[in-house]
Amino acid sequence: MLRVIRDIFNEDFRKLTVQGSTAWDEVTNYLGFIAPELTQKIEKYTGTGDLFADFRVEEQLAKAFDRKVYLPSGGSLVIDRTEAMIVIDVNTGKFIGKGGNLEETVTKNNLEAAEEIARQLRLRDLGGIVVIDFIDMILESNREAVLRRLVECLGRDRTKHQVAEVTSLGLVQMTRKRVGQGLIEAFSTTCDSCSGRGIHIHMEPVKMKAPAPQIDTPSSQHEDADEKDATAHEFHESLNEDATTEEPQAPKVEVKAGGRKRRRASSSGIITA
């Protein structure tokens, strides 16, 4: 607890709420010795319930464990951890912007993602090599603005870090010093069943599940259409499960008045002129 106060608590915080008499004495004595000006920001919890439950801290912890982080505008981040590095992918999601300018929309989403990435690195205490895949931007000025925003937001991080230049593939590489346990390591254990891989290995090939047959779909019930107006999808309908066991039949040809031929697609029952 004292280490967290030493590394994180500063004048940017509005207050620090402490529950329990023992913890209160430790915090007040520690801050009174190293930072007396911060003692006025300490508040003792007087409620009867649990401090974390009343301030919904457990709910925020559950969100911090999730690999997907939603941005306020509708975009999202996907944070994946590997043995060698941490990979962060930026997606626009529901964020469509205003005015119909794709470059402007992407840039705003990337700027918002840069701020959230810096926050997630501190919140989850992620360390090591971090690779960030921002959404591709055409203008060099926009790429520089996103990189500059990321560096500015990381300036509040006391953990040693270094941001490299954008690679030729549009990826941002950075390193952050690994200090102690991360948030996931502190609140999780490795799965005994799969040893943390997330999959089960079988000695024999796994039989793939057959896709569900398409029955009574709207695309399988069309009115007669002229061949020149028919789409390729109408001539390549998926067979129903019962039809797959039947032998293919030759297309039937019918003659209409006026000498025009009507061809019946035996796979879908569509007649085209």
Side-chain angles (χ1 to χ4, degrees):
M1 178 180 61
L2 295 181
R3 190 187 67 165
V4 173
I5 295 176
R6 179 197 65 190
D7 297 339
I8 299 177
F9 188 58
N10 54 31
E11 60 278 357
D12 295 335
F13 289 82
R14 292 194 301 271
K15 65 178 179 179
L16 172 64
T17 305
V18 182
Q19 183 179 21
S21 300
T22 304
W24 171 261
D25 294 337
E26 291 181 1
V27 173
T28 52
N29 293 334
Y30 179 75
L31 285 179
F33 179 73
I34 65 168
E37 66 279 1
L38 296 178
T39 55
Q40 58 183 358
K41 294 180 178 292
I42 308 175
E43 179 185 86
K44 188 174 183 180
Y45 181 69
T46 58
T48 58
D50 182 70
L51 175 64
F52 280 12
D54 291 348
F55 284 87
R56 304 174 66 180
V57 176
E58 294 178 352
E59 179 181 337
Q60 297 300 320
L61 279 175
K63 292 182 179 180
F65 298 148
D66 196 358
R67 63 187 291 265
K68 192 168 187 178
V69 179
Y70 292 96
L71 303 176
S73 63
S76 63
L77 305 175
V78 178
I79 304 176
D80 285 323
R81 303 164 58 89
T82 66
E83 186 69 22
M85 66 184 67
I86 298 168
V87 182
I88 303 177
D89 185 33
V90 181
N91 301 310
T92 55
K94 299 179 181 179
F95 182 53
I96 59 176
K98 297 180 180 180
N101 189 334
L102 180 60
E103 180 73 9
E104 180 181 356
T105 300
V106 169
T107 303
K108 288 182 178 179
N109 189 86
N110 285 338
L111 290 173
E112 192 176 75
E115 298 178 0
E116 186 62 26
I117 287 172
R119 176 177 174 271
Q120 291 295 325
L121 291 177
R122 298 195 307 270
L123 177 63
R124 303 177 183 226
D125 197 12
L126 301 175
I129 300 175
V130 181
V131 177
I132 307 171
D133 184 13
F134 286 104
I135 304 173
D136 294 337
M137 294 168 288
I138 300 176
L139 301 179
E140 182 67 24
S141 59
N142 291 336
R143 292 195 289 268
E144 293 177 355
V146 171
L147 186 61
R148 185 165 55 251
R149 178 69 62 86
L150 178 63
V151 174
E152 291 175 357
C153 295
L154 288 172
R156 291 174 287 182
D157 190 356
R158 296 186 178 184
T159 303
K160 184 179 180 181
H161 60 273
Q162 182 179 0
V163 180
E165 297 294 333
V166 182
T167 66
S168 58
L169 297 177
L171 304 176
V172 176
Q173 302 178 72
M174 63 168 291
T175 59
R176 188 175 185 270
K177 186 177 180 180
R178 193 187 303 274
V179 181
Q181 281 185 323
L183 187 65
I184 293 293
E185 289 82 2
F187 286 88
S188 65
T189 56
T190 302
C191 176
D192 296 332
S193 179
C194 67
S195 300
R197 296 191 63 181
I199 57 175
H200 286 152
I201 303 298
H202 301 270
M203 299 309 297
E204 298 293 336
V206 180
K207 183 178 180 181
M208 300 297 294
K209 295 182 179 180
Q214 298 180 358
I215 301 177
D216 295 333
T217 57
S219 60
S220 64
Q221 300 175 357
H222 295 290
E223 297 180 356
D224 290 358
D226 290 337
E227 184 176 2
K228 62 180 181 179
D229 297 329
T231 63
H233 176 68
E234 293 174 341
F235 290 108
H236 299 282
E237 294 282 346
S238 299
L239 295 177
N240 292 340
E241 185 177 5
D242 296 336
T244 56
T245 59
E246 299 179 359
E247 296 182 358
Q249 300 178 0
K252 299 177 181 180
V253 179
E254 300 177 3
V255 180
K256 290 179 56 180
R260 299 183 62 187
K261 295 183 178 179
R262 294 169 62 86
R263 184 178 62 187
R264 179 184 298 273
S266 58
S267 63
S268 60
I270 300 172
I271 299 178
T272 57

